[in-house]
Amino acid sequence: MPHGILLLDKPRGLSSNAAVQKVRRAFGREKAGHTGSLDPLATGMLPICLGEATKVAGYLLEGDKEYLFTARFGQRTATGDTEGEVVETAAVPDDLAGALTAAIPKFLGPIKQVPPMYSALKRDGQPLYRLARQGIEVEREARPVTIRELVLLGVGGDEARLRVRCSKGTYVRTLAEDLAASMGSCAHLTALRRSAVAPFPPGQLVTLEQVETAAATVPLLAPDAALPQLPVVELDRNLATRVRQGQRVPAEGPTAGADGGLVRLYGPAERFLGIGSLEQGGTVLKPVRLFNDLGANPT
């Protein structure tokens, strides 16, 4: 059975969990999980970890995301997108492109967002969206996020297309609403597509149709493709055997001396062993998350 990371192009109208279950069944895997939900109305990159690759899922959750989105100005909806009823209207700036160009710099860098009620965040064990559907609104504390890049791609009528690169936990629906509010207007999303999830660049996406019709031919990324930020430590056969047995071993090579850092561990023939950490002033290597034998690294 395959172990790896599938970069799924999630279709519109399907929840992230439903997409994972379809992929899991197609590959015949018991273990599968995504690395960051997409709204049902959103499309685009949904990394799905299969088999042993589920052990790196937590590291992918921390990565930056890139989205392409279209916002319609002059109307705000209950859900922040086209699914909800219109709850507010306002004038659209006469020069929408100019107003956006002037407003965008205010949202670059660290900002705070109040999460929307229609979100999967939980209050007393209940997802907020369930409370919202019952007409219940609860106070939400603003949370820090970082907008790395926000670019206006074009304007047509009362709609604008933008690209944003942001930290984890950023709500694009809220960003569009806040951007509009800063111009004295309101807005909601009409389209949302996630184009990239760090460390994976745009592209390389596989459709659900490809997976369901010919899973055996679908390309998967190796589990260690999720960890390019970690230094590499190569171990000889003896040290690799000891590490696979859960033993601490002496740290050697260029990473020695870097206390507390996580590293990628490889044995002979470039076999990916797992994740380790440096201890005792960087002189000792401790196994943190070991992988079953995946064979030679295909990346």
Side-chain angles (χ1 to χ4, degrees):
M1 293 294 181
H3 302 275
I5 302 168
L6 172 72
L7 299 183
L8 182 71
D9 188 350
K10 189 191 82 65
R12 184 183 175 99
L14 193 67
S15 73
S16 295
N17 183 61
V20 168
Q21 298 312 313
K22 287 178 178 290
V23 168
R24 183 180 62 79
R25 287 192 294 270
F27 280 98
R29 295 281 351 155
E30 291 185 4
K31 291 194 300 181
H34 65 75
T35 61
S37 294
L38 275 176
D39 291 342
L41 289 181
T43 66
M45 187 181 290
L46 181 68
I48 297 179
C49 298
L50 298 166
E52 286 292 288
T54 56
K55 294 178 179 178
V56 302
Y59 299 91
L60 289 171
L61 291 172
E62 302 298 316
D64 284 356
K65 313 293 191 297
E66 182 182 272
Y67 297 90
L68 303 172
F69 66 98
T70 301
R72 178 174 297 155
F73 291 81
Q75 295 180 333
R76 182 173 68 85
T77 67
T79 58
D81 55 30
T82 56
E83 285 289 277
E85 62 180 10
V86 175
V87 295
E88 179 186 357
T89 60
V92 179
D94 293 333
D95 181 7
L96 182 56
L100 283 166
T101 300
I104 282 173
K106 306 171 189 175
F107 291 86
L108 296 175
I111 64 171
K112 286 192 174 182
Q113 283 190 333
V114 176
M117 277 300 301
Y118 280 87
S119 67
L121 291 177
K122 292 185 177 180
R123 175 67 59 87
D124 299 327
Q126 283 268 37
L128 291 184
Y129 66 80
R130 287 186 183 169
L131 298 176
R133 288 170 182 166
Q134 300 171 37
I136 300 171
E137 182 163 350
V138 298
E139 187 175 347
R140 288 97 65 205
E141 186 175 342
R143 305 192 310 175
V145 297
T146 301
I147 307 300
R148 317 280 187 200
E149 185 180 33
L150 183 56
V151 178
L152 176 62
L153 301 177
V155 171
D158 59 359
E159 291 193 341
R161 294 179 295 107
L162 300 99
R163 182 180 73 246
V164 62
R165 186 164 58 88
C166 52
S167 66
K168 70 168 187 174
T170 301
Y171 288 94
V172 181
R173 287 173 292 159
T174 300
L175 177 62
E177 290 176 344
D178 292 346
L179 191 60
S182 74
M183 304 184 303
S185 188
C186 57
H188 67 278
L189 296 189
T190 59
L192 176 63
R193 180 171 180 80
R194 188 157 67 191
S195 49
V197 176
F200 310 122
Q204 307 180 58
L205 300 186
V206 176
T207 67
L208 189 58
E209 182 181 6
Q210 289 175 289
V211 172
E212 293 184 318
T213 56
T217 66
V218 168
L220 298 180
L221 300 177
D224 54 334
L227 308 168
Q229 74 279 14
L230 300 185
V232 171
V233 171
E234 297 179 353
L235 304 173
D236 61 26
R237 188 173 304 278
N238 175 55
L239 292 180
T241 299
R242 292 173 58 186
V243 163
R244 289 181 65 83
Q245 293 172 347
Q247 299 178 25
R248 290 174 170 81
V249 299
E252 302 173 351
T255 57
D259 192 20
L262 294 178
V263 295
R264 284 179 284 161
L265 304 177
Y266 294 86
E270 298 184 353
R271 292 178 184 272
F272 179 52
L273 305 178
I275 301 166
S277 121
L278 295 165
E279 296 184 337
Q280 299 181 27
T283 62
V284 173
L285 188 60
K286 171 190 173 183
V288 172
R289 198 71 191 267
L290 297 178
F291 287 63
N292 292 325
D293 192 357
L294 302 176
N297 178 21
T299 60

XYZ file of all heavy atoms in Angstrom, residues 83-165:
633
model
N -23.183 31.372 0.232
C -24.139 30.453 0.840
C -25.127 31.161 1.758
O -26.241 30.677 1.960
C -23.391 29.383 1.647
C -22.722 28.320 0.801
C -23.736 27.397 0.148
O -24.191 26.444 0.810
O -24.079 27.641 -1.029
N -24.720 32.288 2.341
C -25.554 32.946 3.334
C -26.417 34.054 2.756
O -26.164 34.578 1.664
N -27.431 34.421 3.507
C -28.304 35.520 3.083
C -27.605 36.849 3.334
O -26.738 36.974 4.199
C -29.619 35.472 3.853
C -29.464 35.654 5.359
C -30.791 35.595 6.090
O -31.797 35.230 5.464
O -30.798 35.912 7.293
N -27.984 37.847 2.547
C -27.402 39.189 2.687
C -27.914 39.827 3.974
O -29.128 39.887 4.205
C -27.762 40.064 1.465
C -27.261 41.495 1.675
C -27.172 39.469 0.197
N -26.994 40.274 4.817
C -27.359 40.869 6.103
C -26.980 42.341 6.188
O -27.332 43.023 7.163
C -26.718 40.093 7.267
C -27.278 38.681 7.354
C -25.195 40.064 7.137
N -26.255 42.832 5.178
C -25.851 44.240 5.194
C -25.545 44.678 3.772
O -25.014 43.898 2.968
C -24.599 44.438 6.066
C -24.100 45.876 6.117
C -22.776 46.017 6.870
O -22.274 45.002 7.396
O -22.241 47.142 6.901
N -25.906 45.903 3.449
C -25.536 46.483 2.161
C -24.874 47.830 2.402
O -25.089 48.477 3.432
C -26.763 46.674 1.247
O -27.694 47.543 1.899
C -27.431 45.340 0.935
N -24.040 48.239 1.482
C -23.340 49.520 1.590
C -22.907 49.950 0.194
O -22.883 49.141 -0.748
C -22.114 49.394 2.511
N -22.576 51.210 0.070
C -22.116 51.726 -1.215
C -20.752 51.145 -1.562
O -19.925 50.883 -0.682
C -22.035 53.254 -1.163
N -20.538 50.938 -2.847
C -19.236 50.481 -3.336
C -18.441 51.715 -3.757
O -18.988 52.607 -4.421
C -19.420 49.532 -4.550
C -18.067 49.080 -5.083
C -20.278 48.344 -4.160
N -17.169 51.824 -3.373
C -16.369 52.987 -3.790
C -16.421 53.176 -5.305
O -16.370 52.202 -6.065
C -14.956 52.624 -3.324
C -15.168 51.698 -2.168
C -16.402 50.907 -2.516
N -16.551 54.433 -5.733
C -16.599 54.715 -7.174
C -15.362 54.183 -7.880
O -15.451 53.615 -8.964
C -16.732 56.231 -7.402
C -18.074 56.761 -6.928
O -19.044 55.963 -6.924
O -18.148 57.945 -6.556
N -14.201 54.396 -7.270
C -12.942 53.876 -7.803
C -12.521 52.699 -6.930
O -11.707 52.841 -6.018
C -11.874 54.971 -7.797
C -10.542 54.490 -8.368
O -10.479 53.356 -8.897
O -9.544 55.242 -8.262
N -13.112 51.526 -7.184
C -12.848 50.363 -6.333
C -11.385 49.959 -6.370
O -10.786 49.649 -5.332
C -13.738 49.193 -6.772
C -13.614 47.900 -5.958
C -13.871 48.155 -4.476
C -14.569 46.837 -6.500
N -10.781 49.978 -7.552
C -9.368 49.604 -7.666
C -8.490 50.558 -6.867
O -7.566 50.128 -6.152
C -8.949 49.590 -9.130
N -8.768 51.845 -6.970
C -7.978 52.827 -6.238
C -8.151 52.691 -4.737
O -7.178 52.797 -3.970
N -9.399 52.458 -4.296
C -9.656 52.306 -2.866
C -8.954 51.071 -2.311
O -8.391 51.095 -1.210
C -11.167 52.216 -2.628
N -8.966 49.978 -3.067
C -8.290 48.769 -2.620
C -6.782 48.959 -2.574
O -6.111 48.506 -1.636
C -8.650 47.602 -3.550
C -10.023 46.983 -3.334
C -10.407 46.078 -4.500
C -10.048 46.201 -2.028
N -6.238 49.601 -3.574
C -4.791 49.856 -3.606
C -4.358 50.656 -2.389
O -3.286 50.417 -1.813
C -4.412 50.595 -4.900
O -4.774 49.780 -6.026
C -2.924 50.880 -4.950
N -5.199 51.607 -1.972
C -4.865 52.427 -0.800
C -5.051 51.649 0.502
O -4.329 51.872 1.479
C -5.724 53.687 -0.789
N -6.005 50.711 0.530
C -6.325 49.999 1.769
C -5.409 48.814 2.044
O -5.137 48.476 3.200
C -7.776 49.527 1.730
N -4.939 48.178 0.995
C -4.179 46.930 1.156
C -2.977 47.063 2.094
O -2.750 46.176 2.938
C -3.764 46.379 -0.230
C -4.963 45.683 -0.889
C -2.580 45.429 -0.130
C -4.727 45.243 -2.324
N -2.166 48.125 2.001
C -0.997 48.204 2.884
C -1.329 48.143 4.375
O -0.495 47.701 5.180
C -0.363 49.557 2.512
C -0.790 49.790 1.092
C -2.172 49.231 1.013
N -2.544 48.545 4.763
C -2.932 48.518 6.175
C -3.062 47.090 6.693
O -3.089 46.865 7.908
C -4.268 49.245 6.377
C -4.311 50.664 5.847
C -5.731 51.213 5.902
C -5.839 52.543 5.173
N -7.245 53.024 5.129
N -3.173 46.125 5.786
C -3.412 44.742 6.193
C -2.186 43.849 6.008
O -2.286 42.636 6.196
C -4.605 44.171 5.417
C -5.913 44.793 5.811
C -6.339 45.971 5.208
C -6.695 44.241 6.803
C -7.534 46.565 5.576
C -7.890 44.823 7.178
C -8.313 45.991 6.574
N -1.072 44.429 5.685
C 0.150 43.645 5.529
C 0.873 43.520 6.860
O 0.879 44.451 7.665
C 1.074 44.301 4.498
C 0.527 44.359 3.061
C 1.476 45.126 2.164
C 0.280 42.955 2.518
N 1.463 42.357 7.102
C 2.182 42.124 8.348
C 1.274 41.531 9.409
O 0.203 40.987 9.114
N 1.660 41.632 10.681
C 0.836 41.074 11.763
C -0.454 41.879 11.924
O -0.424 43.105 12.020
C 1.731 41.212 13.004
C 3.108 41.471 12.492
C 2.942 42.167 11.182
N -1.591 41.182 11.938
C -2.881 41.815 12.182
C -3.669 40.917 13.132
O -3.226 39.810 13.462
C -3.690 42.032 10.881
C -4.039 40.683 10.241
C -2.930 42.916 9.905
C -5.011 40.790 9.076
N -4.827 41.380 13.566
C -5.703 40.562 14.392
C -7.031 40.376 13.680
O -7.561 41.313 13.075
C -5.905 41.197 15.769
C -4.687 41.076 16.669
C -5.018 41.451 18.101
C -3.835 41.178 19.016
N -4.168 41.491 20.436
N -7.557 39.151 13.759
C -8.844 38.827 13.152
C -9.785 38.245 14.195
O -9.359 37.473 15.058
C -8.670 37.778 12.046
C -8.128 38.265 10.749
C -8.240 37.175 9.681
O -8.254 35.981 9.978
N -8.336 37.597 8.427
N -11.045 38.602 14.095
C -12.084 37.938 14.888
C -12.615 36.794 14.035
O -13.167 37.031 12.957
C -13.213 38.907 15.264
C -14.327 38.156 15.992
C -12.681 40.051 16.110
N -12.462 35.548 14.461
C -12.929 34.416 13.655
C -14.419 34.517 13.376
O -15.186 34.973 14.225
C -12.615 33.200 14.533
C -11.539 33.659 15.462
C -11.819 35.114 15.708
N -14.858 34.111 12.197
C -16.288 34.179 11.866
C -17.093 33.139 12.639
O -16.560 32.102 13.053
C -16.316 33.895 10.365
C -15.088 33.088 10.114
C -14.053 33.594 11.076
N -18.368 33.412 12.828
C -19.237 32.431 13.475
C -19.345 31.167 12.625
O -19.411 30.058 13.152
C -20.626 33.016 13.716
C -20.744 33.852 14.975
S -20.373 32.936 16.505
C -21.598 31.608 16.455
N -19.366 31.333 11.313
C -19.410 30.148 10.455
C -17.986 29.626 10.260
O -17.348 29.820 9.225
C -20.072 30.490 9.118
C -21.574 30.510 9.216
C -22.235 31.669 9.606
C -22.334 29.375 8.945
C -23.629 31.693 9.716
C -23.724 29.388 9.057
C -24.358 30.552 9.435
O -25.728 30.569 9.556
N -17.481 28.981 11.309
C -16.151 28.380 11.291
C -16.182 27.126 12.139
O -17.138 26.879 12.877
C -15.095 29.358 11.821
O -15.293 29.612 13.197
N -15.114 26.319 12.036
C -15.057 25.044 12.756
C -14.495 25.196 14.165
O -14.361 24.202 14.883
C -14.212 24.045 11.970
N -14.168 26.423 14.564
C -13.711 26.636 15.939
C -14.800 26.194 16.912
O -15.991 26.331 16.620
C -13.377 28.108 16.169
C -12.144 28.655 15.434
C -12.008 30.142 15.724
C -10.896 27.907 15.845
N -14.374 25.696 18.061
C -15.354 25.145 19.001
C -15.508 26.018 20.244
O -14.564 26.647 20.705
C -14.948 23.728 19.411
C -15.046 22.725 18.270
C -14.764 21.316 18.729
C -14.934 20.316 17.582
N -14.669 18.924 18.015
N -16.719 26.037 20.766
C -17.044 26.694 22.025
C -17.819 25.673 22.867
O -18.886 25.237 22.461
C -17.882 27.958 21.783
C -18.378 28.641 23.052
C -17.215 29.234 23.858
N -16.463 30.218 23.099
C -16.779 31.511 23.042
N -17.820 31.965 23.733
N -16.035 32.342 22.346
N -17.244 25.289 23.991
C -17.854 24.267 24.854
C -18.149 22.978 24.079
O -19.200 22.348 24.243
C -19.145 24.795 25.494
C -18.895 26.008 26.380
O -17.811 26.071 26.993
O -19.770 26.882 26.448
N -17.212 22.625 23.213
C -17.342 21.384 22.458
C -18.192 21.459 21.215
O -18.285 20.493 20.463
N -18.818 22.616 20.977
C -19.694 22.785 19.816
C -19.000 23.638 18.760
O -18.514 24.727 19.063
C -21.001 23.479 20.220
C -21.983 22.567 20.930
C -22.942 21.915 19.944
O -22.576 21.556 18.829
N -24.184 21.745 20.365
N -18.937 23.174 17.489
C -18.410 24.036 16.428
C -19.243 25.309 16.318
O -20.465 25.273 16.437
C -18.543 23.175 15.167
C -18.647 21.770 15.665
C -19.341 21.852 16.987
N -18.576 26.414 16.073
C -19.286 27.691 15.991
C -20.344 27.689 14.890
O -21.410 28.300 15.039
C -18.291 28.833 15.762
C -17.347 29.168 16.918
C -16.499 30.377 16.567
C -18.128 29.426 18.206
N -20.068 26.990 13.792
C -21.042 27.031 12.695
C -22.374 26.385 13.088
O -23.428 26.775 12.594
C -20.476 26.401 11.420
C -20.191 24.913 11.494
C -21.203 23.971 11.354
C -18.892 24.450 11.672
C -20.941 22.613 11.409
C -18.613 23.091 11.727
C -19.634 22.175 11.598
O -19.361 20.832 11.656
N -22.328 25.419 14.008
C -23.584 24.812 14.464
C -24.389 25.800 15.299
O -25.619 25.871 15.201
C -23.293 23.551 15.270
C -22.822 22.378 14.434
C -22.695 21.122 15.243
N -22.175 20.028 14.430
C -21.769 18.875 14.922
N -21.822 18.660 16.239
N -21.296 17.930 14.128
N -23.687 26.558 16.126
C -24.370 27.589 16.910
C -24.950 28.655 15.980
O -26.077 29.119 16.174
C -23.394 28.221 17.908
C -22.805 27.286 18.970
C -21.786 28.037 19.830
C -23.911 26.719 19.857
N -24.157 29.034 14.953
C -24.618 30.063 14.025
C -25.885 29.629 13.300
O -26.792 30.435 13.069
C -23.511 30.386 13.016
N -25.972 28.355 12.952
C -27.160 27.853 12.251
C -28.399 27.872 13.136
O -29.525 27.860 12.638
C -26.893 26.433 11.739
C -25.933 26.387 10.558
C -25.508 24.966 10.248
N -24.541 24.938 9.150
C -23.808 23.875 8.839
N -23.957 22.744 9.539
N -22.945 23.925 7.845
N -28.170 27.906 14.466
C -29.285 28.009 15.409
C -29.605 29.469 15.738
O -30.451 29.745 16.581
C -28.937 27.269 16.701
C -28.660 25.787 16.523
C -28.105 25.146 17.787
O -28.506 25.487 18.899
N -27.164 24.225 17.631
N -28.933 30.387 15.067
C -29.148 31.794 15.319
C -28.441 32.306 16.558
O -28.751 33.396 17.056
N -27.479 31.531 17.066
C -26.747 31.915 18.274
C -25.400 32.510 17.881
O -24.645 31.917 17.097
C -26.525 30.693 19.194
C -27.854 30.089 19.604
C -25.702 31.077 20.416
C -27.719 28.760 20.336
N -25.105 33.674 18.408
C -23.802 34.292 18.187
C -23.106 34.472 19.529
O -23.710 34.945 20.488
C -23.925 35.642 17.479
C -22.568 36.285 17.202
C -22.639 37.385 16.150
O -23.690 37.527 15.499
O -21.633 38.086 15.991
N -21.847 34.056 19.610
C -21.073 34.165 20.838
C -19.879 35.078 20.592
O -19.438 35.264 19.452
C -20.597 32.783 21.332
C -21.772 31.892 21.662
C -19.690 32.118 20.298
N -19.359 35.635 21.657
C -18.207 36.525 21.545
C -16.967 35.712 21.176
O -16.732 34.634 21.716
C -17.986 37.254 22.867
C -16.914 38.332 22.792
C -16.813 39.124 24.087
O -17.728 38.992 24.924
O -15.809 39.842 24.256
N -16.213 36.217 20.221
C -14.968 35.564 19.818
C -13.810 36.524 20.023
O -13.904 37.710 19.683
C -14.995 35.157 18.341
C -15.895 33.977 18.027
C -17.237 34.428 17.521
N -17.155 35.125 16.246
C -18.054 35.998 15.823
N -19.098 36.316 16.576
N -17.918 36.581 14.645
N -12.743 36.005 20.567
C -11.569 36.835 20.818
C -10.747 36.968 19.545
O -10.561 36.003 18.799
C -10.713 36.193 21.914
C -9.541 37.056 22.351
C -8.791 36.437 23.521
O -9.354 35.555 24.192
O -7.638 36.838 23.750
N -10.265 38.184 19.276
C -9.420 38.410 18.106
C -8.127 37.615 18.242
O -7.552 37.515 19.326
C -9.111 39.900 17.959
N -7.673 37.045 17.118
C -6.475 36.226 17.126
C -5.438 36.818 16.176
O -5.779 37.352 15.112
C -6.800 34.787 16.695
C -7.901 34.148 17.520
C -8.000 32.660 17.270
N -8.046 32.335 15.847
C -8.036 31.083 15.369
N -7.981 30.067 16.202
N -8.087 30.860 14.076
N -4.157 36.706 16.541
C -3.110 37.246 15.668
C -2.846 36.335 14.471
O -2.754 35.117 14.619
C -1.886 37.314 16.590
C -2.117 36.245 17.615
C -3.603 36.182 17.816
N -2.755 36.925 13.297
C -2.337 36.228 12.084
C -1.375 37.169 11.355
O -1.229 38.336 11.716
C -3.529 35.864 11.175
C -4.469 34.888 11.882
C -4.286 37.106 10.727
N -0.738 36.647 10.319
C 0.209 37.467 9.555
C -0.119 37.377 8.075
O -0.236 36.287 7.523
C 1.659 37.003 9.792
O 1.962 37.086 11.182
C 2.633 37.888 9.020
N -0.261 38.540 7.450
C -0.482 38.616 6.006
C 0.864 38.920 5.362
O 1.395 40.022 5.488
C -1.509 39.703 5.635
C -2.812 39.503 6.428
C -1.768 39.691 4.139
C -3.494 38.186 6.196
N 1.434 37.935 4.692
C 2.759 38.108 4.075
C 2.676 38.935 2.794
O 3.538 39.745 2.507
C 3.369 36.748 3.729
C 3.215 35.666 4.777
C 4.211 35.781 5.885
N 4.114 34.624 6.774
C 4.564 34.599 8.006
N 5.159 35.669 8.520
N 4.440 33.527 8.763
N 1.603 38.702 2.037
C 1.456 39.373 0.743
C -0.022 39.464 0.416
O -0.784 38.520 0.653
C 2.197 38.576 -0.337
C 2.213 39.221 -1.698
C 2.960 38.370 -2.728
O 2.908 37.118 -2.618
O 3.581 38.951 -3.625
N -0.448 40.603 -0.116
C -1.836 40.802 -0.538
C -1.793 41.640 -1.812
O -1.365 42.803 -1.787
C -2.640 41.506 0.556
C -4.132 41.728 0.290
C -4.847 40.414 -0.012
C -4.789 42.423 1.479
N -2.214 41.036 -2.920
C -2.050 41.660 -4.231
C -3.401 41.748 -4.936
O -4.146 40.765 -5.000
C -1.066 40.844 -5.104
C -0.923 41.469 -6.485
C 0.295 40.743 -4.422
N -3.703 42.914 -5.459
C -4.905 43.101 -6.264
C -4.612 42.631 -7.685
O -3.692 43.121 -8.335
C -5.313 44.583 -6.270
C -6.505 44.957 -7.149
C -7.770 44.245 -6.680
C -6.708 46.477 -7.151
N -5.403 41.663 -8.175
C -5.183 41.107 -9.507
C -6.063 41.752 -10.568
O -5.704 41.763 -11.745
C -5.443 39.598 -9.487
C -4.581 38.774 -8.521
C -4.997 37.315 -8.556
C -3.102 38.930 -8.850
N -7.218 42.273 -10.162
C -8.091 42.894 -11.137
C -9.428 43.270 -10.537
O -9.822 42.754 -9.485
N -10.131 44.182 -11.200
C -11.445 44.654 -10.750
C -12.396 44.639 -11.930
O -12.030 45.029 -13.045
C -11.352 46.076 -10.152
C -12.735 46.640 -9.904
C -10.547 46.070 -8.871
N -13.607 44.166 -11.682
C -14.653 44.199 -12.701
C -15.986 44.478 -12.049
O -16.479 43.665 -11.258
N -16.574 45.640 -12.315
C -17.830 46.013 -11.673
C -17.642 46.136 -10.174
O -16.765 46.865 -9.700
N -18.471 45.413 -9.407
C -18.370 45.485 -7.953
C -17.553 44.326 -7.370
O -17.589 44.071 -6.163
C -19.762 45.508 -7.314
C -20.587 44.267 -7.670
O -20.084 43.408 -8.427
O -21.727 44.154 -7.197
N -16.813 43.607 -8.215
C -16.001 42.493 -7.754
C -14.519 42.756 -7.974
O -14.129 43.459 -8.922
C -16.395 41.191 -8.461
C -17.768 40.675 -8.069
C -17.987 39.247 -8.526
O -17.256 38.778 -9.424
O -18.899 38.598 -7.977
N -13.696 42.177 -7.089
C -12.245 42.308 -7.199
C -11.618 40.944 -6.971
O -12.070 40.164 -6.135
C -11.711 43.309 -6.177
N -10.569 40.647 -7.731
C -9.797 39.414 -7.575
C -8.473 39.739 -6.898
O -7.775 40.681 -7.297
C -9.547 38.752 -8.931
C -10.805 38.246 -9.612
C -10.514 37.618 -10.974
N -9.999 38.606 -11.924
C -8.746 38.672 -12.328
N -7.845 37.820 -11.852
N -8.376 39.589 -13.199
N -8.138 38.949 -5.877
C -6.920 39.203 -5.120
C -6.185 37.889 -4.841
O -6.764 36.804 -4.905
C -7.225 39.898 -3.782
C -7.913 41.259 -3.851
C -9.414 41.092 -3.614
C -7.333 42.228 -2.832
N -4.905 38.020 -4.520
C -4.093 36.887 -4.076
C -3.506 37.230 -2.716
O -3.021 38.350 -2.510
C -2.958 36.596 -5.054
C -2.104 35.375 -4.648
C -0.971 35.085 -5.614
N 0.098 36.065 -5.506
C 0.445 36.930 -6.439
N -0.216 36.945 -7.584
N 1.425 37.788 -6.258
N -3.573 36.283 -1.774
C -3.024 36.522 -0.446
C -2.137 35.352 -0.047
O -2.453 34.197 -0.317
C -4.153 36.725 0.601
C -5.035 35.490 0.722
C -3.570 37.088 1.958
N -1.013 35.660 0.556
C -0.160 34.649 1.197
C -0.148 34.976 2.676
O 0.171 36.110 3.073
C 1.257 34.669 0.612
C 2.148 33.541 1.129
C 3.381 33.376 0.249
N 4.145 34.601 0.170
C 5.103 34.944 1.048
N 5.383 34.145 2.068
N 5.758 36.067 0.906
